[in-house]
Amino acid sequence: MARLNDKVALITGAATGIGLCTARLMIDEGAQVVITDRNVAAGEVSGDELGARSHFVQQDVCDEGSWNAVMEAVQDLHGRLDILVNNAGILSTEPFQDIEQTSLAQWQAIQSVNVEGVFLGCRAGVQAMKDSGGSIVNLSSVAGLVATPSLVAYGASKAAVRQLTKSVAIHCGQKKYRIRCNSVHPDPIRTDMGDELMGLKGYIDGPDIETNWQTARKRVPIGETGEPIDVAQCILFLASDESRHVTGSELVVDGGLTAA
Ligand SMILES: NC(=O)c1ccc[n+]([C@@H]2O[C@H](COP(=O)([O-])OP(=O)(O)OC[C@H]3O[C@@H](n4cnc5c(N)ncnc54)[C@H](O)[C@@H]3O)[C@@H](O)[C@H]2O)c1
């Protein structure tokens, strides 16, 4: 039997990358999926590619009002929500991000999407699922677990997601909402954001992005950086009933990077 039969999933920032890969996997496992993104052109193309079991809704996750509209769309389409993946995120808005060169504008832009967007998502998700139960999966990063001096704003935002996740999990547990909430922590993954990371000043600083990926691979104990599907499989597990006893946890998907 498919692992998400009869489930309805909402995935933010799913026009590309890890979110899109997760949407594909969840559809293969029997779910109906609503994807959102602020990139309308890419979102519409991805929605078409995903087919009849998907629906694209334009959304900027930082916009509080957008969450009401998205939840209404999910209810109108499917009458329920079982899974929320807070995936939308940004890495940077300027070439440098160490403590000496990070502008307040860059800091605030990153916190706005990566922290406020996930907070708004969790709040809306709890409201939507508190009577029926469900699973919330928040995308954090290895940068939320260990220091990454060239990613001071991004790392802080992802650490906030880790902590927020645990508070949501315990609140829902205490209230007997049957909503689980967990975070996922990938290493550099081959997506648009992964390429952006390889080009960020101060991160690896090799001659070009491909060489920087090779350097990144050598840092990973198993010798490979992850692919979107590696993260998507972990999100699928946390979204499915197979993880029914897992909440408030952090699933590290990094080939051993942070264990070393
Ligand atoms: N790629 C990596 O190396 C990596 C590693 C660790 C964690 N992550 C996290 O995984 C998640 C997905 O990353 P990805 O690599 O697929 O990135 P990506 O850049 O390929 O995709 C992110 C998507 O989010 C959308 N988005 C950005 N801001 C938005 C907003 N305000 N509202 C709605 N949509 C918005 C973008 O348009 C894009 O489609 C992010 O939260 C990221 O921080 C990525």
Side-chain angles (χ1 to χ4, degrees), residues 13 16 18 37-38 59-61 87 140 154 158 188-189 191:
T16 59
I18 293 168
D37 208 288
R38 67 180 177 186
Q59 181 191 30
D60 180 343
V61 294
N87 168 78
S140 180
Y154 179 81
K158 292 302 186 180
I189 302 293
T191 63

Side-chain angles (χ1 to χ4, degrees), residues 12-19 36-39 59-62 86-90 113-114 139-142 154 158 186-194 197:
T12 67
T16 59
I18 293 168
T36 80
D37 208 288
R38 67 180 177 186
N39 183 339
Q59 181 191 30
D60 180 343
V61 294
C62 312
N86 286 306
N87 168 78
I90 61 169
V113 179
N114 294 4
L139 268 290
S140 180
S141 166
V142 292
Y154 179 81
K158 292 302 186 180
D187 64 343
I189 302 293
R190 193 110 209 189
T191 63
D192 292 348
M193 184 185 287
L197 175 64

